[in-house]
C-alpha cells in the first residue's frame, strides 16, 4: 500500500468513523433516509464533489462526482437505509467505506482521466433503490460499480440469489363459530392447507431453494369463522428460470387450498423481484489481490442472501465482496452484529475496506483496456 492517494484515507480516518457513527445513531428505514442522505451528500460536497440531489426524482438518492477528461467511470455504491431495529445490516459501514474510497481515488484524477462518483442508493432492504435508478438511466454512463458488504464470512463472489414474493388472500364466508360454523367458509383453513402444501413441496425442490412466509392476517375475532385471511410468502433461488418455476408451484399450492376449502383466492406481489448477483471473475481477482495483500483471505462460501445490487450487476459489471466485520464473525441482520458493528474491529475493517475499494478503482483508472476486458465478460 505505497500508493500516495491512500494516505488521504488515513488523514480523514476520524471523520469517516464519525460519519459512520452518525448514520448508525440516526437510523432511517427504507424510503425515509432524508437525514442520512443529507449528511452524506453534504460531507462529499465539503470534500469538493459535485452533488446532484433528488437523483432520478428519488428524494433520498444522490450522486456525488469528480471528473477530469476522458477515462473509466467508476461508481462507488452507498447504502444507508436501516432495519426497523437499527443498522444491523451494516449500511452505516457500507456508505462510509464507499465515500472514503471515492475521496481517496479522486486524488489521482489529475494524472488519470475519468470519473469517480458515489451513488447514494436508498431502500436496499426492500429492493427498490437501485432498480428505480437503473430505470431512470442513472447508471447508463458508468463502466464499473463497486461496494463492500459486511458479513459473517469473507467471500469475494457470493451467491446472492433471485428473490421475490406474493401476498395470498383467501376469501370465504363469516359465520358464528359456536352456533352455525357449518354456514361459514373458513379462510384460515385455506391458509393452513396452503402452509402444509408448501411444507410438502419443499422436499421436491432443488437444493438452494428457499420458501419462507408469515401469516399477515389470520382473522379478527375467535368466535367468528374467519372470512378473509392473508399469508405472505417469499421465494429464493440462484437460477432465474427455476426461481420462476418455483413461483408457479407455490401459486398452484395456493389454488389447491382455495379449491379444497371453497374459498376465493387473490394474489399479488408484495415486492419487486431482486435479480441474482452476476459475477465478474476479472474484477473479483483484482479485488482479491489487494485483499490478500492486507492479510484478509476468503474463508468459505455464501449463498441465500439477496440484494438489489444484483439488478445492477445485470446492467454493468458490479463488485460486492463480503468481508467479516466482527471478531466473532456475527452475521448481519442480528442484534449481535448490531452491537459489533461499532466496535474497534469494525472501524478498522471500515478503513481497510475503503483502501481496498480505492486500490481496485485505481487499477481501473490507469488501464482502460482492463475495463474493456471486464465489460466484455458480461457478453
Amino acid at each position: 500500500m505505497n500508493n500516495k492517494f491512500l494516505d488521504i484515507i488515513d488523514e480523514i480516518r476520524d471523520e469517516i468513523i464519525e460519519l459512520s457513527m452518525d448514520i448508525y445513531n440516526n437510523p432511517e428505514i427504507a424510503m425515509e433516509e432524508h437525514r442520512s442522505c443529507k449528511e452524506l451528500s453534504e460531507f462529499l460536497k465539503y470534500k469538493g464533489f459535485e452533488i446532484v440531489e433528488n437523483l432520478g426524482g428519488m428524494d433520498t438518492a444522490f450522486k456525488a462526482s469528480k471528473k477530469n477528461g476522458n477515462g473509466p467511470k467508476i461508481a462507488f455504491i452507498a447504502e444507508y437505509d436501516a432495519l426497523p431495529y437499527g443498522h444491523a445490516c451494516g449500511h452505516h459501514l457500507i456508505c462510509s467505506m464507499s465515500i472514503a474510497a471515492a475521496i481517496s481515488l479522486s486524488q489521482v484524477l489529475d494524472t488519470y482521466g475519468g470519473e469517480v462518483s458515489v451513488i447514494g442508493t436508498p431502500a436496499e432492504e426492500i429492493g427498490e433503490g437501485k432498480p428505480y435508478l437503473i430505470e431512470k438511466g442513472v447508471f447508463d454512463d458508468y463502466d464499473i460499480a463497486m461496494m463492500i458488504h459486511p458479513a459473517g464470512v469473507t467471500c469475494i463472489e457470493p451467491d446472492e440469489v433471485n428473490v421475490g414474493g406474493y401476498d395470498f388472500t383467501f376469501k370465504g364466508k363469516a359465520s358464528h363459530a359456536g352456533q352455525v360454523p357449518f354456514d361459514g367458509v373458513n379462510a384460515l383453513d385455506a391458509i393452513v392447507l396452503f402452509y402444509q402444501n408448501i411444507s410438502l413441496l419443499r422436499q421436491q425442490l432443488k437444493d438452494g431453494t428457499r420458501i419462507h412466509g408469515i401469516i399477515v392476517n389470520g382473522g379478527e375475532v375467535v368466535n367468528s369463522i374467519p372470512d378473509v385471511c392473508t399469508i405472505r410468502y417469499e421465494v429464493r433461488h440462484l437460477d432465474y428460470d427455476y426461481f420462476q418455476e418455483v413461483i408457479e408451484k407455490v401459486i398452484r399450492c395456493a389454488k389447491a387450498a382455495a379449491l379444497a376449502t371453497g374459498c376465493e383466492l387473490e394474489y399479488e406481489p408484495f415486492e419487486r423481484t431482486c435479480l441474482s448477483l452476476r459475477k465478474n471473475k476479472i474484477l473479483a481477482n483484482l479485488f482479491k489481490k489487494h485483499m490478500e495483500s492486507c492479510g484478509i483471505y476468503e474463508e468459505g462460501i455464501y449463498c441465500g442472501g439477496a440484494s438489489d445490487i444484483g439488478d445492477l450487476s445485470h446492467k454493468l459489471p458490479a463488485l460486492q465482496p463480503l468481508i467479516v466485520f466482527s471478531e466473532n464473525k456475527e452475521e448481519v441482520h442480528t442484534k449481535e452484529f448490531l452491537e459489533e458493528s461499532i466496535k474497534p474491529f469494525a472501524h478498522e475493517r471500515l478503513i481497510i475496506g475503503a483502501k481496498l475499494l480505492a486500490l481496485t478503482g485505481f487499477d481501473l483508472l490507469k488501464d482502460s483496456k482492463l475495463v474493456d476486458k471486464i465489460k466484455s465478460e458480461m457478453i
Side-chain angles (χ1 to χ4, degrees):
M1 288 197 173
N2 294 322
N3 299 283
K4 294 295 183 182
F5 67 93
L6 294 177
D7 292 345
I8 189 67
I9 295 177
D10 292 320
E11 293 171 11
I12 63 173
R13 174 191 176 98
D14 291 345
E15 292 178 85
I16 291 298
I17 292 174
E18 183 180 349
L19 181 66
S20 75
M21 289 301 301
D22 184 59
I23 301 301
Y24 178 90
N25 288 324
N26 297 278
E28 297 169 303
I29 61 172
M31 306 304 293
E32 297 182 14
E33 316 97 322
H34 298 281
R35 185 185 185 282
S36 298
C37 180
K38 182 178 180 181
E39 290 294 313
L40 297 171
S41 58
E42 286 189 352
F43 183 83
L44 284 160
K45 183 177 181 180
Y46 172 71
K47 295 298 182 181
F49 282 71
E50 181 180 342
I51 307 299
V52 177
E53 299 176 341
N54 194 31
L55 186 61
M58 185 175 253
D59 59 2
T60 56
F62 71 90
K63 178 172 74 171
S65 302
K66 279 189 179 182
K67 50 190 172 183
N68 180 34
N70 297 319
K73 297 183 178 181
I74 300 169
F76 292 105
I77 305 301
E79 297 174 354
Y80 37 90
D81 60 317
L83 293 161
Y85 56 95
H87 276 288
C89 199
H91 289 191
H92 60 299
L93 300 165
I94 292 171
C95 62
S96 303
M97 265 187 292
S98 289
I99 284 173
I103 292 170
S104 169
L105 188 60
S106 69
Q107 304 302 306
V108 308
L109 288 174
D110 290 341
T111 304
Y112 301 97
E115 180 176 334
V116 175
S117 295
V118 175
I119 307 296
T121 60
E124 186 276 335
E125 293 296 345
I126 61 172
E128 295 289 346
K130 298 178 191 67
Y132 175 87
L133 296 174
I134 291 168
E135 291 174 3
K136 294 298 181 180
V138 167
F139 293 97
D140 286 355
D141 294 332
Y142 287 95
D143 296 303
I144 307 286
M146 292 190 289
M147 60 175 280
I148 293 173
H149 203 298
V153 62
T154 295
C155 178
I156 296 174
E157 294 183 283
D159 285 334
E160 297 203 351
V161 300
N162 301 285
V163 61
Y166 284 77
D167 282 338
F168 297 87
T169 298
F170 295 90
K171 295 185 176 181
K173 178 185 175 184
S175 66
H176 193 288
Q179 183 178 1
V180 285
F182 43 82
D183 284 345
V185 178
N186 198 315
L188 183 58
D189 283 351
I191 280 187
V192 171
L193 285 177
F194 183 28
Y195 191 92
Q196 291 175 333
N197 289 345
I198 295 299
S199 296
L200 292 171
L201 174 66
R202 286 192 179 99
Q203 67 177 328
Q204 306 299 133
L205 299 176
K206 292 181 180 179
D207 291 348
T209 307
R210 298 287 185 269
I211 306 175
H212 40 91
I214 57 170
I215 296 176
V216 177
N217 172 27
E220 295 182 357
V221 293
V222 72
N223 58 354
S224 291
I225 297 297
D227 61 338
V228 180
C229 294
T230 301
I231 188 169
R232 172 172 292 178
Y233 270 117
E234 196 171 59
V235 176
R236 298 170 185 256
H237 197 272
L238 187 59
D239 178 79
Y240 184 76
D241 290 338
Y242 188 68
F243 165 79
Q244 292 288 3
E245 183 179 330
V246 175
I247 290 287
E248 290 303 315
K249 290 177 184 289
V250 169
I251 291 171
R252 289 202 297 270
C253 286
K255 289 179 176 179
L259 178 63
T261 56
C263 288
E264 296 179 2
L265 171 67
E266 296 178 358
Y267 57 93
E268 61 181 3
F270 72 86
E271 63 182 357
R272 59 169 305 282
T273 296
C274 279
L275 300 180
S276 60
L277 180 61
R278 192 171 179 179
K279 300 177 182 180
N280 191 289
K281 185 62 67 177
I282 300 173
L283 188 54
N285 285 339
L286 284 179
F287 184 87
K288 182 179 181 180
K289 174 187 65 176
H290 295 303
M291 187 180 77
E292 291 181 347
S293 73
C294 293
I296 303 174
Y297 300 91
E298 286 197 273
E299 300 169 331
I301 60 174
Y302 175 92
C303 183
S307 170
D308 58 6
I309 188 77
D311 293 75
L312 187 56
S313 73
H314 289 259
K315 171 71 176 178
L316 75 168
L319 177 73
Q320 190 210 239
L322 309 180
I323 293 182
V324 170
F325 270 68
S326 164
E327 286 186 287
N328 297 320
K329 298 183 179 179
E330 305 289 357
E331 190 52 83
V332 296
H333 285 233
T334 64
K335 293 182 179 179
E336 290 79 11
F337 179 84
L338 182 65
E339 296 172 358
E340 293 292 321
S341 69
I342 56 172
K343 291 184 177 179
F345 185 88
H347 289 159
E348 190 61 34
R349 284 289 166 98
L350 162 58
I351 299 304
I352 292 173
K355 291 180 179 180
L356 295 177
L357 287 172
L359 283 166
T360 306
F362 182 58
D363 289 338
L364 303 174
L365 280 185
K366 67 182 182 181
D367 189 352
S368 59
K369 291 183 179 179
L370 179 60
V371 174
D372 292 337
K373 289 180 181 178
I374 290 170
K375 294 170 73 173
S376 70
E377 195 174 316
M378 292 193 67
I379 299 174

